[in-house]
Amino acid sequence: MAVEKIANGVVVSMSYVLTVDGEEVDRAGSDDPLEYLHGADNIVPGLEEALEGKKVGDKVSAVVPPEQGYGEYDEDEVDEFDFDEIDDAEELEVGMPLEFEEEDEEGNVYIYEGTVMEITEDTVVVDFNAPLAGKTLNFEVEILGLREATAEELDHGHPHSMDGFFEDEE
Ligand code: ZN
């Protein structure tokens, strides 16, 4: 049975351009579309809501505020580290991504991703906010295709047509 419009459990194929503060930050062309599973938090909530009920061929302009996108910018997510706390600190540059591993008492390892914000003589300031936190997201979307998700895709919570884009935990 053909899928007529976007609803939970539908795999959506779309092209899009994402613009932030007047600058293009991401895009997927019609020759290399993004596919996502609707209703599974694969995309930001504001965009998912804007696409609900849309059909193939529909063009959608969505303005998504931070709280419906990557969240508000949080000053508490900025931390300062001494050089000796960081491997290869002398090679860091402002704007570089940085990963921290932390192990709790039970041996669980957590990975935190941040961005180098500032480098002083002996400290590094790291921003752990998502790169687009606090930003209003402007999406121009075209719906290219719709299909029902397979049982396995529903179970995993993502489409399997996007090679390597959504990771499986095995
Ligand atoms: Zn999977």
Side-chain angles (χ1 to χ4, degrees):
M1 200 175 69
V3 177
E4 204 174 303
K5 56 187 183 180
I6 297 177
N8 289 350
V10 170
V11 173
V12 180
S13 172
M14 67 185 198
S15 62
Y16 70 93
V17 178
L18 169 58
T19 307
V20 172
D21 295 334
E23 273 185 52
E24 182 182 314
V25 295
D26 197 14
R27 78 154 61 217
S30 52
D31 52 342
D32 187 23
L34 173 76
E35 293 200 358
Y36 79 95
L37 174 60
H38 195 80
D41 293 325
N42 291 171
I43 59 174
V44 294
L47 182 59
E48 194 163 58
E49 202 182 299
L51 296 180
E52 179 89 31
K54 299 299 183 206
K55 299 174 177 175
V56 173
D58 281 355
K59 291 180 180 169
V60 183
S61 298
V63 179
V64 177
E67 65 271 21
Q68 291 287 306
Y70 291 97
E72 296 288 355
Y73 190 85
D74 185 355
E75 299 284 350
D76 292 337
E77 294 292 316
V78 177
D79 280 322
E80 193 165 5
F81 298 87
D82 290 327
F83 261 23
D84 55 20
E85 291 178 271
I86 293 175
D87 297 334
D88 302 320
E90 61 282 345
E91 285 167 28
L92 294 178
E93 284 173 45
V94 170
M96 269 174 67
L98 203 56
E99 270 188 8
F100 288 85
E101 267 186 32
E102 208 168 87
E103 200 177 328
D104 69 11
E105 283 147 21
E106 276 117 51
N108 300 309
V109 176
Y110 299 91
I111 293 175
Y112 299 94
E113 285 178 34
T115 308
V116 177
M117 213 174 138
E118 198 186 329
I119 301 169
T120 70
E121 219 166 289
D122 48 12
T123 68
V124 180
V125 181
V126 181
D127 188 350
F128 290 97
N129 283 286
L132 293 176
K135 302 288 188 188
T136 296
L137 314 171
N138 298 277
F139 288 99
E140 295 292 335
V141 175
E142 183 170 356
I143 307 303
L144 303 173
L146 303 176
R147 65 172 173 85
E148 265 179 89
T150 65
E152 193 185 41
E153 288 173 326
L154 287 174
D155 186 45
H156 287 203
H158 55 229
H160 282 164
S161 39
M162 295 286 292
D163 236 4
F165 187 83
F166 297 105
E167 279 176 37
D168 278 307
E169 297 124 33
E170 277 169 275

mmCIF file with all atom_site columns, all heavy atoms in Angstrom, residues 5 28 31 37 40 44 85 92-93 102 119 140 145 150-151 154 166 170:
data_model
loop_
_atom_site.group_PDB
_atom_site.id
_atom_site.type_symbol
_atom_site.label_atom_id
_atom_site.label_alt_id
_atom_site.label_comp_id
_atom_site.label_asym_id
_atom_site.label_entity_id
_atom_site.label_seq_id
_atom_site.pdbx_PDB_ins_code
_atom_site.Cartn_x
_atom_site.Cartn_y
_atom_site.Cartn_z
_atom_site.occupancy
_atom_site.B_iso_or_equiv
_atom_site.pdbx_formal_charge
_atom_site.auth_seq_id
_atom_site.auth_comp_id
_atom_site.auth_asym_id
_atom_site.auth_atom_id
_atom_site.pdbx_PDB_model_num
ATOM 1   N N   . LYS A 1 5   ? 0.780  10.305 2.965  1.00 0.00 ? 5   LYS A N   1
ATOM 2   C CA  . LYS A 1 5   ? 1.305  11.480 3.654  1.00 0.00 ? 5   LYS A CA  1
ATOM 3   C C   . LYS A 1 5   ? 2.151  11.104 4.874  1.00 0.00 ? 5   LYS A C   1
ATOM 4   O O   . LYS A 1 5   ? 2.097  9.974  5.359  1.00 0.00 ? 5   LYS A O   1
ATOM 5   C CB  . LYS A 1 5   ? 0.182  12.433 4.043  1.00 0.00 ? 5   LYS A CB  1
ATOM 6   C CG  . LYS A 1 5   ? -0.893 11.800 4.876  1.00 0.00 ? 5   LYS A CG  1
ATOM 7   C CD  . LYS A 1 5   ? -2.039 12.800 5.064  1.00 0.00 ? 5   LYS A CD  1
ATOM 8   C CE  . LYS A 1 5   ? -3.097 12.187 5.974  1.00 0.00 ? 5   LYS A CE  1
ATOM 9   N NZ  . LYS A 1 5   ? -4.227 13.066 6.198  1.00 0.00 ? 5   LYS A NZ  1
ATOM 10  N N   . ALA A 1 28  ? 21.142 18.592 1.744  1.00 0.00 ? 28  ALA A N   1
ATOM 11  C CA  . ALA A 1 28  ? 21.101 17.306 1.068  1.00 0.00 ? 28  ALA A CA  1
ATOM 12  C C   . ALA A 1 28  ? 20.381 17.546 -0.238 1.00 0.00 ? 28  ALA A C   1
ATOM 13  O O   . ALA A 1 28  ? 19.258 18.051 -0.249 1.00 0.00 ? 28  ALA A O   1
ATOM 14  C CB  . ALA A 1 28  ? 20.358 16.266 1.911  1.00 0.00 ? 28  ALA A CB  1
ATOM 15  N N   . ASP A 1 31  ? 19.790 14.435 -5.482 1.00 0.00 ? 31  ASP A N   1
ATOM 16  C CA  . ASP A 1 31  ? 20.582 13.289 -5.936 1.00 0.00 ? 31  ASP A CA  1
ATOM 17  C C   . ASP A 1 31  ? 21.166 12.502 -4.761 1.00 0.00 ? 31  ASP A C   1
ATOM 18  O O   . ASP A 1 31  ? 21.671 11.395 -4.929 1.00 0.00 ? 31  ASP A O   1
ATOM 19  C CB  . ASP A 1 31  ? 21.717 13.765 -6.861 1.00 0.00 ? 31  ASP A CB  1
ATOM 20  C CG  . ASP A 1 31  ? 22.551 14.872 -6.233 1.00 0.00 ? 31  ASP A CG  1
ATOM 21  O OD1 . ASP A 1 31  ? 22.073 15.507 -5.264 1.00 0.00 ? 31  ASP A OD1 1
ATOM 22  O OD2 . ASP A 1 31  ? 23.678 15.110 -6.696 1.00 0.00 ? 31  ASP A OD2 1
ATOM 23  N N   . LEU A 1 37  ? 13.144 8.352  9.674  1.00 0.00 ? 37  LEU A N   1
ATOM 24  C CA  . LEU A 1 37  ? 11.917 7.677  10.121 1.00 0.00 ? 37  LEU A CA  1
ATOM 25  C C   . LEU A 1 37  ? 11.092 8.667  10.928 1.00 0.00 ? 37  LEU A C   1
ATOM 26  O O   . LEU A 1 37  ? 11.532 9.148  11.979 1.00 0.00 ? 37  LEU A O   1
ATOM 27  C CB  . LEU A 1 37  ? 12.272 6.448  10.960 1.00 0.00 ? 37  LEU A CB  1
ATOM 28  C CG  . LEU A 1 37  ? 11.098 5.708  11.627 1.00 0.00 ? 37  LEU A CG  1
ATOM 29  C CD1 . LEU A 1 37  ? 10.103 5.198  10.590 1.00 0.00 ? 37  LEU A CD1 1
ATOM 30  C CD2 . LEU A 1 37  ? 11.625 4.542  12.465 1.00 0.00 ? 37  LEU A CD2 1
ATOM 31  N N   . ALA A 1 40  ? 10.443 9.210  15.186 1.00 0.00 ? 40  ALA A N   1
ATOM 32  C CA  . ALA A 1 40  ? 11.484 8.476  15.920 1.00 0.00 ? 40  ALA A CA  1
ATOM 33  C C   . ALA A 1 40  ? 12.633 9.390  16.364 1.00 0.00 ? 40  ALA A C   1
ATOM 34  O O   . ALA A 1 40  ? 13.717 8.904  16.671 1.00 0.00 ? 40  ALA A O   1
ATOM 35  C CB  . ALA A 1 40  ? 12.021 7.331  15.063 1.00 0.00 ? 40  ALA A CB  1
ATOM 36  N N   . VAL A 1 44  ? 15.275 17.155 14.244 1.00 0.00 ? 44  VAL A N   1
ATOM 37  C CA  . VAL A 1 44  ? 14.881 18.032 15.355 1.00 0.00 ? 44  VAL A CA  1
ATOM 38  C C   . VAL A 1 44  ? 13.345 18.129 15.426 1.00 0.00 ? 44  VAL A C   1
ATOM 39  O O   . VAL A 1 44  ? 12.660 18.078 14.397 1.00 0.00 ? 44  VAL A O   1
ATOM 40  C CB  . VAL A 1 44  ? 15.511 19.447 15.232 1.00 0.00 ? 44  VAL A CB  1
ATOM 41  C CG1 . VAL A 1 44  ? 17.026 19.371 15.378 1.00 0.00 ? 44  VAL A CG1 1
ATOM 42  C CG2 . VAL A 1 44  ? 15.120 20.145 13.943 1.00 0.00 ? 44  VAL A CG2 1
ATOM 43  N N   . GLU A 1 85  ? 45.562 18.601 31.727 1.00 0.00 ? 85  GLU A N   1
ATOM 44  C CA  . GLU A 1 85  ? 44.407 17.698 31.756 1.00 0.00 ? 85  GLU A CA  1
ATOM 45  C C   . GLU A 1 85  ? 44.072 17.172 30.359 1.00 0.00 ? 85  GLU A C   1
ATOM 46  O O   . GLU A 1 85  ? 43.205 16.318 30.202 1.00 0.00 ? 85  GLU A O   1
ATOM 47  C CB  . GLU A 1 85  ? 43.157 18.436 32.279 1.00 0.00 ? 85  GLU A CB  1
ATOM 48  C CG  . GLU A 1 85  ? 43.205 18.803 33.743 1.00 0.00 ? 85  GLU A CG  1
ATOM 49  C CD  . GLU A 1 85  ? 41.945 19.557 34.133 1.00 0.00 ? 85  GLU A CD  1
ATOM 50  O OE1 . GLU A 1 85  ? 41.950 20.815 34.016 1.00 0.00 ? 85  GLU A OE1 1
ATOM 51  O OE2 . GLU A 1 85  ? 40.975 18.912 34.535 1.00 0.00 ? 85  GLU A OE2 1
ATOM 52  N N   . LEU A 1 92  ? 46.106 22.160 19.894 1.00 0.00 ? 92  LEU A N   1
ATOM 53  C CA  . LEU A 1 92  ? 44.718 22.608 19.772 1.00 0.00 ? 92  LEU A CA  1
ATOM 54  C C   . LEU A 1 92  ? 44.606 23.938 19.050 1.00 0.00 ? 92  LEU A C   1
ATOM 55  O O   . LEU A 1 92  ? 45.505 24.778 19.112 1.00 0.00 ? 92  LEU A O   1
ATOM 56  C CB  . LEU A 1 92  ? 44.093 22.749 21.163 1.00 0.00 ? 92  LEU A CB  1
ATOM 57  C CG  . LEU A 1 92  ? 43.921 21.460 21.951 1.00 0.00 ? 92  LEU A CG  1
ATOM 58  C CD1 . LEU A 1 92  ? 43.348 21.780 23.318 1.00 0.00 ? 92  LEU A CD1 1
ATOM 59  C CD2 . LEU A 1 92  ? 43.025 20.483 21.205 1.00 0.00 ? 92  LEU A CD2 1
ATOM 60  N N   . GLU A 1 93  ? 43.479 24.101 18.350 1.00 0.00 ? 93  GLU A N   1
ATOM 61  C CA  . GLU A 1 93  ? 43.156 25.378 17.725 1.00 0.00 ? 93  GLU A CA  1
ATOM 62  C C   . GLU A 1 93  ? 41.709 25.719 18.021 1.00 0.00 ? 93  GLU A C   1
ATOM 63  O O   . GLU A 1 93  ? 40.876 24.817 18.176 1.00 0.00 ? 93  GLU A O   1
ATOM 64  C CB  . GLU A 1 93  ? 43.334 25.284 16.207 1.00 0.00 ? 93  GLU A CB  1
ATOM 65  C CG  . GLU A 1 93  ? 44.782 25.304 15.762 1.00 0.00 ? 93  GLU A CG  1
ATOM 66  C CD  . GLU A 1 93  ? 44.897 25.027 14.266 1.00 0.00 ? 93  GLU A CD  1
ATOM 67  O OE1 . GLU A 1 93  ? 44.108 25.622 13.501 1.00 0.00 ? 93  GLU A OE1 1
ATOM 68  O OE2 . GLU A 1 93  ? 45.750 24.222 13.894 1.00 0.00 ? 93  GLU A OE2 1
ATOM 69  N N   . GLU A 1 102 ? 35.082 9.987  30.238 1.00 0.00 ? 102 GLU A N   1
ATOM 70  C CA  . GLU A 1 102 ? 35.014 9.978  31.688 1.00 0.00 ? 102 GLU A CA  1
ATOM 71  C C   . GLU A 1 102 ? 34.508 8.615  32.127 1.00 0.00 ? 102 GLU A C   1
ATOM 72  O O   . GLU A 1 102 ? 33.560 8.079  31.543 1.00 0.00 ? 102 GLU A O   1
ATOM 73  C CB  . GLU A 1 102 ? 34.040 11.065 32.143 1.00 0.00 ? 102 GLU A CB  1
ATOM 74  C CG  . GLU A 1 102 ? 34.367 11.613 33.521 1.00 0.00 ? 102 GLU A CG  1
ATOM 75  C CD  . GLU A 1 102 ? 33.567 12.879 33.781 1.00 0.00 ? 102 GLU A CD  1
ATOM 76  O OE1 . GLU A 1 102 ? 32.425 12.769 34.253 1.00 0.00 ? 102 GLU A OE1 1
ATOM 77  O OE2 . GLU A 1 102 ? 34.084 13.970 33.497 1.00 0.00 ? 102 GLU A OE2 1
ATOM 78  N N   . ILE A 1 119 ? 41.869 29.576 23.808 1.00 0.00 ? 119 ILE A N   1
ATOM 79  C CA  . ILE A 1 119 ? 43.105 28.997 24.334 1.00 0.00 ? 119 ILE A CA  1
ATOM 80  C C   . ILE A 1 119 ? 43.909 30.119 24.980 1.00 0.00 ? 119 ILE A C   1
ATOM 81  O O   . ILE A 1 119 ? 44.178 31.142 24.348 1.00 0.00 ? 119 ILE A O   1
ATOM 82  C CB  . ILE A 1 119 ? 43.945 28.352 23.203 1.00 0.00 ? 119 ILE A CB  1
ATOM 83  C CG1 . ILE A 1 119 ? 43.131 27.264 22.499 1.00 0.00 ? 119 ILE A CG1 1
ATOM 84  C CG2 . ILE A 1 119 ? 45.241 27.768 23.766 1.00 0.00 ? 119 ILE A CG2 1
ATOM 85  C CD1 . ILE A 1 119 ? 43.755 26.759 21.220 1.00 0.00 ? 119 ILE A CD1 1
ATOM 86  N N   . GLU A 1 140 ? 14.584 24.701 4.214  1.00 0.00 ? 140 GLU A N   1
ATOM 87  C CA  . GLU A 1 140 ? 13.818 24.634 2.964  1.00 0.00 ? 140 GLU A CA  1
ATOM 88  C C   . GLU A 1 140 ? 13.842 23.179 2.541  1.00 0.00 ? 140 GLU A C   1
ATOM 89  O O   . GLU A 1 140 ? 14.903 22.644 2.207  1.00 0.00 ? 140 GLU A O   1
ATOM 90  C CB  . GLU A 1 140 ? 14.471 25.511 1.883  1.00 0.00 ? 140 GLU A CB  1
ATOM 91  C CG  . GLU A 1 140 ? 14.475 26.999 2.188  1.00 0.00 ? 140 GLU A CG  1
ATOM 92  C CD  . GLU A 1 140 ? 13.082 27.617 2.174  1.00 0.00 ? 140 GLU A CD  1
ATOM 93  O OE1 . GLU A 1 140 ? 12.183 27.051 1.493  1.00 0.00 ? 140 GLU A OE1 1
ATOM 94  O OE2 . GLU A 1 140 ? 12.886 28.640 2.841  1.00 0.00 ? 140 GLU A OE2 1
ATOM 95  N N   . GLY A 1 145 ? 10.023 11.373 -1.467 1.00 0.00 ? 145 GLY A N   1
ATOM 96  C CA  . GLY A 1 145 ? 9.450  10.028 -1.468 1.00 0.00 ? 145 GLY A CA  1
ATOM 97  C C   . GLY A 1 145 ? 8.993  9.612  -0.084 1.00 0.00 ? 145 GLY A C   1
ATOM 98  O O   . GLY A 1 145 ? 9.520  10.096 0.920  1.00 0.00 ? 145 GLY A O   1
ATOM 99  N N   . THR A 1 150 ? 10.048 -0.764 7.432  1.00 0.00 ? 150 THR A N   1
ATOM 100 C CA  . THR A 1 150 ? 9.992  -2.205 7.684  1.00 0.00 ? 150 THR A CA  1
ATOM 101 C C   . THR A 1 150 ? 9.886  -2.426 9.194  1.00 0.00 ? 150 THR A C   1
ATOM 102 O O   . THR A 1 150 ? 10.144 -1.514 9.992  1.00 0.00 ? 150 THR A O   1
ATOM 103 C CB  . THR A 1 150 ? 11.273 -2.906 7.188  1.00 0.00 ? 150 THR A CB  1
ATOM 104 O OG1 . THR A 1 150 ? 12.385 -2.428 7.962  1.00 0.00 ? 150 THR A OG1 1
ATOM 105 C CG2 . THR A 1 150 ? 11.529 -2.613 5.719  1.00 0.00 ? 150 THR A CG2 1
ATOM 106 N N   . ALA A 1 151 ? 9.511  -3.633 9.581  1.00 0.00 ? 151 ALA A N   1
ATOM 107 C CA  . ALA A 1 151 ? 9.402  -3.958 11.009 1.00 0.00 ? 151 ALA A CA  1
ATOM 108 C C   . ALA A 1 151 ? 10.741 -3.751 11.708 1.00 0.00 ? 151 ALA A C   1
ATOM 109 O O   . ALA A 1 151 ? 10.803 -3.249 12.835 1.00 0.00 ? 151 ALA A O   1
ATOM 110 C CB  . ALA A 1 151 ? 8.934  -5.402 11.173 1.00 0.00 ? 151 ALA A CB  1
ATOM 111 N N   . LEU A 1 154 ? 11.372 -0.006 12.224 1.00 0.00 ? 154 LEU A N   1
ATOM 112 C CA  . LEU A 1 154 ? 10.556 0.492  13.345 1.00 0.00 ? 154 LEU A CA  1
ATOM 113 C C   . LEU A 1 154 ? 11.182 0.083  14.677 1.00 0.00 ? 154 LEU A C   1
ATOM 114 O O   . LEU A 1 154 ? 11.246 0.871  15.621 1.00 0.00 ? 154 LEU A O   1
ATOM 115 C CB  . LEU A 1 154 ? 9.130  -0.051 13.254 1.00 0.00 ? 154 LEU A CB  1
ATOM 116 C CG  . LEU A 1 154 ? 8.240  0.549  12.173 1.00 0.00 ? 154 LEU A CG  1
ATOM 117 C CD1 . LEU A 1 154 ? 6.918  -0.190 12.111 1.00 0.00 ? 154 LEU A CD1 1
ATOM 118 C CD2 . LEU A 1 154 ? 8.012  2.045  12.408 1.00 0.00 ? 154 LEU A CD2 1
ATOM 119 N N   . PHE A 1 166 ? 22.844 6.370  10.168 1.00 0.00 ? 166 PHE A N   1
ATOM 120 C CA  . PHE A 1 166 ? 22.321 6.059  11.505 1.00 0.00 ? 166 PHE A CA  1
ATOM 121 C C   . PHE A 1 166 ? 23.052 4.825  11.985 1.00 0.00 ? 166 PHE A C   1
ATOM 122 O O   . PHE A 1 166 ? 23.094 3.812  11.307 1.00 0.00 ? 166 PHE A O   1
ATOM 123 C CB  . PHE A 1 166 ? 20.815 5.794  11.451 1.00 0.00 ? 166 PHE A CB  1
ATOM 124 C CG  . PHE A 1 166 ? 20.010 6.984  11.016 1.00 0.00 ? 166 PHE A CG  1
ATOM 125 C CD1 . PHE A 1 166 ? 19.467 7.057  9.762  1.00 0.00 ? 166 PHE A CD1 1
ATOM 126 C CD2 . PHE A 1 166 ? 19.816 8.048  11.893 1.00 0.00 ? 166 PHE A CD2 1
ATOM 127 C CE1 . PHE A 1 166 ? 18.729 8.162  9.354  1.00 0.00 ? 166 PHE A CE1 1
ATOM 128 C CE2 . PHE A 1 166 ? 19.083 9.157  11.499 1.00 0.00 ? 166 PHE A CE2 1
ATOM 129 C CZ  . PHE A 1 166 ? 18.534 9.214  10.231 1.00 0.00 ? 166 PHE A CZ  1
ATOM 130 N N   . GLU A 1 170 ? 25.340 -2.691 18.232 1.00 0.00 ? 170 GLU A N   1
ATOM 131 C CA  . GLU A 1 170 ? 25.301 -4.160 18.249 1.00 0.00 ? 170 GLU A CA  1
ATOM 132 C C   . GLU A 1 170 ? 26.346 -4.701 19.190 1.00 0.00 ? 170 GLU A C   1
ATOM 133 O O   . GLU A 1 170 ? 27.304 -4.058 19.521 1.00 0.00 ? 170 GLU A O   1
ATOM 134 C CB  . GLU A 1 170 ? 25.518 -4.716 16.850 1.00 0.00 ? 170 GLU A CB  1
ATOM 135 C CG  . GLU A 1 170 ? 24.222 -4.708 16.053 1.00 0.00 ? 170 GLU A CG  1
ATOM 136 C CD  . GLU A 1 170 ? 24.461 -5.000 14.566 1.00 0.00 ? 170 GLU A CD  1
ATOM 137 O OE1 . GLU A 1 170 ? 24.757 -4.047 13.846 1.00 0.00 ? 170 GLU A OE1 1
ATOM 138 O OE2 . GLU A 1 170 ? 24.369 -6.151 14.175 1.00 0.00 ? 170 GLU A OE2 1
#
